[in-house]
Amino acid sequence: MAPGLRQHHLLGISELTREEIELIFHRAEAYLPYCRSAQHRLPDLRGKTVVLAFFEPSTRTRVSFELAARRLSADVVSFQAAASSLAKGESLFDTVQTLEAMGIDALVIRHRASGVPWLLRRFLACSIINAGDGQHEHPTQALLDGFTLWKYFGRLQGLRVCIVGDVLHSRVARSNIALLRLSGAEVAVCGPATLLPQNAEQVWGVRVFWNLREAVKWADVLNVLRLQRERMESGLVASSEEYHRFFGITEQVVTWNPAVRILHPGPVNYGVELVPEVALGANSHIRQQVPHGVAIRMAVLSLLLGGG
Ligand code: NCD
């Protein structure tokens, strides 16, 4: 078992304690000076092999896991699903067992089906890290979002965070809500009724705002989400233009609460959920989220694999 974490997998925020989240934040803070430069490679994971298996598109998450593993001197293999024997009909199960038989220490997996990392845990001995399973969990994204707020505010306890947009289809929302509530923050969601889960108050313990102006006035932080059309049945939003008119975060929206902080996990669809002026403006932390993603993934890898 890795020192400080009770498990050697990271599947969902629901499996972490508040103390473990803080431990990951402190480790990430220590790694932050090293996450930008390849000149100061740390020896913490020398001799370990990390496999990245992404069965869904990804830019930030895949690259930042790869950089994180390399900054800690691990060997990294990026498995290309489209170019593999999966295309010849091999099952996911046989594929990952073959990878493990080559002697790997960690499997970082993203898959469109919710629950895949939990299924694999039953069969594999290596550490499994969930890099996003369907619309279910994306724990390292929630950790990097939480870390970004923790660095800015010095705490999560008592913060008011509103998740704006397509909450229904979002694993980022589910993992953020779990992490923020566990850390003592107040959480709300805001968006069109078709994109919010039913009974969100009772089921998720969050406040629901139907009106963006009320949400913005209430919040310390807006975590803004993309419309995840790849997971949507048709007809949930009339058009991107209409969505933007009611829920898009513009410079005018920020004037309703000039202190409000803005997060976005990326990729951004400019002109729909967010405009570039706000994404690049003084309220935004989107630029910091990217290096924080590398530092958080360095922390997770080293705590799970026993380095550092
Ligand atoms: C998110 C994801 O893949 O769930 N992006 C990410 O990991 N940076 C959010 C999204 O795709 O909108």
Side-chain angles (χ1 to χ4, degrees):
M1 198 185 300
L5 293 183
R6 293 160 309 138
Q7 303 199 26
H8 74 296
H9 303 297
L10 177 61
L11 303 190
I13 295 296
S14 48
E15 299 189 350
L16 292 174
T17 63
R18 187 171 179 162
E19 291 69 33
E20 286 175 319
I21 291 169
E22 278 168 21
L23 179 70
I24 296 169
F25 287 174
H26 283 286
R27 181 69 68 95
E29 189 165 50
Y31 281 142
L32 210 43
Y34 301 94
C35 75
R36 278 226 179 89
S37 159
Q39 281 170 351
H40 303 285
R41 211 166 262 203
L42 298 169
D44 304 25
L45 293 185
R46 187 161 290 152
K48 305 280 186 189
T49 303
V50 176
V51 171
L52 310 178
F54 279 65
F55 297 90
E56 261 196 347
S58 172
T59 303
R60 292 158 194 76
T61 307
R62 195 181 54 72
V63 172
S64 64
F65 264 114
E66 181 161 348
L67 280 179
R70 288 190 194 285
R71 299 279 191 259
L72 297 174
S73 306
D75 281 345
V76 188
V77 180
S78 207
F79 165 79
Q80 305 293 341
S84 74
S85 291
L86 281 166
K88 300 183 194 166
E90 187 169 40
S91 71
L92 171 69
F93 181 68
D94 280 344
T95 305
V96 292
Q97 275 207 325
T98 304
L99 293 173
E100 194 183 41
M102 294 179 192
I104 66 172
D105 298 287
L107 177 72
V108 179
I109 183 155
R110 167 171 287 194
H111 201 279
R112 66 175 182 282
S114 298
V116 159
W118 279 264
L119 182 70
L120 297 180
R121 173 169 62 180
R122 292 166 49 192
F123 303 105
L124 301 184
C126 68
S127 288
I128 299 170
I129 301 173
N130 182 3
D133 65 316
Q135 53 193 53
H136 180 218
E137 275 253 28
H138 191 353
T140 56
Q141 181 68 45
L143 284 162
L144 83 87
D145 294 344
F147 179 62
T148 302
L149 300 178
W150 180 80
K151 288 278 292 167
Y152 182 77
F153 289 99
R155 65 186 166 90
L156 295 182
Q157 175 75 41
L159 277 189
R160 292 176 157 194
V161 182
C162 183
I163 302 172
V164 183
D166 183 3
V167 176
L168 185 64
H169 299 101
S170 175
R171 54 194 174 206
V172 176
R174 281 171 182 75
S175 291
N176 261 272
I177 291 169
L179 182 142
L180 291 165
R181 293 192 64 222
L182 193 59
S183 305
E186 284 182 62
V187 190
V189 295
C190 175
T194 48
L195 297 182
L196 298 184
Q198 281 186 345
N199 303 323
E201 292 101 332
Q202 294 85 344
V203 178
W204 289 0
V206 296
R207 235 176 128 136
V208 177
F209 288 102
W210 307 107
N211 178 289
L212 184 62
R213 187 190 280 258
E214 285 170 25
V216 172
K217 286 181 181 245
W218 172 87
D220 299 309
V221 181
L222 304 177
N223 198 345
V224 185
L225 300 177
R226 179 176 69 87
L227 296 177
Q228 288 140 87
R229 292 190 183 276
E230 71 277 20
R231 300 201 188 100
M232 264 184 217
E233 292 163 24
S234 59
L236 293 183
V237 279
S239 68
S240 298
E241 293 72 26
E242 181 164 313
Y243 177 83
H244 180 72
R245 192 142 48 87
F246 289 102
F247 295 102
I249 307 300
T250 59
E251 285 173 296
Q252 200 216 337
V253 167
V254 173
T255 64
W256 299 336
N257 177 359
V260 77
R261 314 312 304 169
I262 308 285
L263 299 181
H264 192 304
V268 179
N269 288 157
Y270 287 119
V272 184
E273 74 273 15
L274 189 62
V275 297
E277 292 77 9
V278 175
L280 301 172
N283 298 66
S284 171
H285 293 266
I286 298 171
R287 280 272 175 84
Q288 290 142 21
Q289 284 176 273
V290 177
H292 288 176
V294 179
I296 279 289
R297 286 162 182 135
M298 288 170 82
V300 165
L301 284 168
S302 81
L303 283 163
L304 293 179
L305 300 183

